């Protein structure tokens, strides 16, 4: 499906994903084409993506650009590379993580680098926070930003500790406010047509969550587990680990900021 001129959203299937939204896979078409992320590993959904690419008979897929090396964003990249000859390109810091999945990149990307696919120029923007090696891809001319999991189309992104970092996450969001973004194509969920509002909401959400953590610490909650049960009451068991990571990420920032000290498993307000 073409979601903007020269930008397609490709079905990534929903068979393997536990959450609400399957990963989004986008295709940017110029004289050559670039895939943004590659969805799941499984043969069926990878086959669906390949079918889509093959139907665009004129297409010369040059790049498979990875927003970050999480399994639901890199799966299938090897099979698509084999079938199309496209190069796998990832931000340099992410290459080691890619290797954990048995995948070798063809090209390392740097912050600020541009890729010219003829008729479209794709800029790499390092946006650490969800993970330390997350990047966004930006079509400056049309104001379209591909965000991976840095910004998702529903709710908020997970700060995936270790590696993820709340302070960096907020800084990365603030950096995006300097750009003239008209449309966000996120790693999961629907397209975001009011980018600035969404980005400001995400920053506000993190600052509110931080204040919440501070408030509970003030009331004598000390451990990650105590904070999780206060902040996320009646949480589905399957989401506890994610909630724990969020609270841990906020505590790490507060310790870095010198507002909280840590003694063993206890966090204490300064
Ligand atoms: Zn992710």
């Amino acid at each position: 499906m073409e979601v903007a001129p020269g930008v397609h959203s490709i079905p990534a299937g929903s068979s393997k994903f536990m959450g609400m939204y399957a990963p989004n896979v986008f295709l940017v078409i110029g004289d050559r084409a670039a895939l943004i992320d590659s969805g799941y590993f499984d043969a069926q959904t990878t086959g669906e993506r390949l079918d889509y690419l093959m139907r665009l008979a004129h297409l010369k897929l040059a790049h498979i650009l990875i927003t970050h090396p999480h399994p639901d964003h890199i799966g299938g990249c090897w099979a698509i590379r084999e079938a199309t000859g496209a190069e796998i390109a990832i931000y340099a810091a992410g290459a080691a993580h890619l290797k954990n999945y048995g995948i070798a990149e063809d090209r390392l990307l740097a912050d600020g680098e541009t890729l010219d696919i003829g008729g479209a120029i794709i800029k790499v923007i390092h946006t650490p926070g969800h993970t330390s090696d997350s990047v966004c891809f930006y079509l400056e001319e049309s104001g379209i930003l591909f965000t991976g999991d840095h910004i998702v189309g529903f709710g908020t992104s997970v700060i995936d500790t270790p590696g993820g970092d709340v302070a960096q996450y907020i800084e990365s969001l603030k950096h995006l406010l300097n750009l003239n973004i008209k449309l966000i194509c996120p790693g999961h969920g629907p397209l975001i047509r009011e980018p600035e509002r969404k980005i400001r909401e995400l920053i506000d959400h993190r600052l509110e969550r931080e204040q919440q953590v501070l408030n509970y610490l003030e009331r004598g909650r000390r451990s990650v587990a105590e904070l999780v049960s206060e902040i996320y009451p009646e949480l589905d068991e399957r989401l506890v680990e994610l909630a724990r990571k969020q609270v841990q990420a906020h505590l790490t920032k507060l310790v870095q900021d010198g507002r909280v000290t840590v003694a063993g498993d206890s966090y204490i307000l300064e």
Side-chain angles (χ1 to χ4, degrees), residues 34-206:
L35 203 62
I36 313 273
D37 284 342
S38 55
Y40 299 120
F41 275 95
D42 65 296
Q44 189 202 322
T45 64
T46 302
E48 285 168 18
R49 264 160 277 143
L50 273 170
D51 288 347
Y52 192 101
L53 294 171
M54 295 308 169
R55 256 180 271 135
L56 298 166
H58 62 285
L59 197 79
K60 165 81 183 84
L61 190 69
H63 313 282
I64 302 165
L65 305 177
I66 305 292
T67 60
H68 67 297
H70 274 166
D72 51 334
H73 297 267
I74 61 170
C77 72
W78 195 256
I80 294 169
R81 176 190 188 271
E82 294 290 284
T84 63
E87 63 170 19
I88 297 171
I90 187 165
Y91 181 64
H97 299 128
L98 201 59
K99 271 186 192 67
N100 293 339
Y101 297 97
I103 299 167
E105 77 289 345
D106 299 294
R107 174 174 180 164
L108 295 177
L109 299 172
D111 184 32
E113 182 174 351
T114 55
L115 296 107
D116 188 346
I117 57 170
I121 293 172
I122 305 168
K123 187 173 188 179
V124 181
I125 303 173
H126 183 214
T127 49
H130 168 65
T131 62
S132 60
D133 50 20
S134 288
V135 297
C136 293
F137 295 107
Y138 187 41
L139 301 178
E140 207 156 16
E141 205 159 304
S142 51
I144 298 175
L145 186 74
F146 302 90
T147 54
D149 285 354
H150 182 55
I151 298 173
V152 293
F154 56 91
T156 59
S157 294
V158 171
I159 306 298
D160 191 24
T161 53
D165 184 302
V166 177
Q168 287 183 350
Y169 182 67
I170 293 170
E171 281 312 304
S172 295
L173 289 170
K174 285 182 178 167
H175 174 65
L176 294 181
L177 286 174
N178 298 324
L179 308 178
N180 185 22
I181 304 167
K182 298 193 176 75
L183 175 70
I184 290 177
C185 296
H188 299 269
L191 302 186
I192 297 160
R193 298 188 184 278
E194 292 180 285
E196 184 176 339
R197 196 175 96 177
K198 175 73 180 184
I199 293 168
R200 290 194 190 282
E201 273 173 15
L202 290 173
I203 295 170
D204 289 348
H205 170 81
R206 284 296 157 189

Side-chain angles (χ1 to χ4, degrees), residues 189-229:
L191 302 186
I192 297 160
R193 298 188 184 278
E194 292 180 285
E196 184 176 339
R197 196 175 96 177
K198 175 73 180 184
I199 293 168
R200 290 194 190 282
E201 273 173 15
L202 290 173
I203 295 170
D204 289 348
H205 170 81
R206 284 296 157 189
L207 297 177
E208 280 162 24
R209 183 69 82 217
E210 177 171 285
Q211 191 54 50
Q212 214 178 1
V213 169
L214 287 168
N215 291 346
Y216 282 116
L217 288 172
E218 196 167 19
R219 286 182 229 165
R221 306 299 178 272
R222 294 283 175 86
S223 70
V224 172
E226 283 174 339
L227 289 164
V228 166
S229 60

Side-chain angles (χ1 to χ4, degrees), residues 226-245:
E226 283 174 339
L227 289 164
V228 166
S229 60
E230 293 286 5
I231 294 170
Y232 304 92
E234 296 172 29
L235 188 64
D236 187 312
E237 213 174 284
R238 290 167 296 180
L239 297 175
V240 168
E241 182 58 21
L242 280 183
R244 204 191 58 74
K245 285 184 174 193

